[in-house]
Amino acid sequence: MFTGTLTADLLLGDVHSLKGKRAVVRPIVAELRRRFAVAAAEVGDQDLHRRGQVAVATVAADAGQVAEVLDACERLLAERPEVTLLSTHRQLFSDTD
């Protein structure tokens, strides 16, 4: 069994309030959950208007499948026009670790 996580640092577009930030980040998190059946949440930079951190976690029987899901999640984030994907960090864990 393998568990993988992806943490993405995002720069939000024309956002001037925390309410505006929520209006951008919440649909992205919801789409990640719906399309890829992953656990996803906003995990950092919650007090900054134009920055956000979103994390995704998934579990699969083999490492290749975990990598495929995380790749797809990263592509979705990179393709969103309302945000700029600044960086990502991945971790892969095995049940034997």
Side-chain angles (χ1 to χ4, degrees):
M1 175 179 68
F2 292 89
T3 305
T5 62
L6 171 74
T7 305
D9 188 17
L10 305 173
L11 177 65
L12 283 64
D14 191 28
V15 175
H16 301 288
S17 68
L18 292 176
K19 185 175 180 179
K21 177 183 179 176
R22 277 194 313 273
V24 172
V25 174
R26 289 179 79 196
I28 292 171
V29 169
E31 186 174 0
L32 286 165
R33 289 176 180 162
R34 182 182 54 78
R35 284 184 60 185
F36 305 112
V38 296
E42 181 181 4
V43 295
D45 296 330
Q46 283 132 341
D47 57 340
L48 301 176
H49 297 157
R50 296 204 56 223
R51 294 291 294 269
Q53 274 191 350
V54 173
V56 174
T58 188
V59 177
D62 64 280
Q65 188 174 6
V66 169
E68 286 177 20
V69 171
L70 295 181
D71 286 345
C73 291
E74 186 173 343
R75 275 192 305 276
L76 182 137
L77 291 169
E79 293 171 355
R80 295 296 291 234
E82 67 272 23
V83 299
T84 301
L85 181 60
L86 297 176
S87 66
T88 60
H89 176 73
R90 290 182 184 215
Q91 290 185 302
L92 180 66
F93 303 98
S94 170
D95 58 352
T96 59
D97 288 345

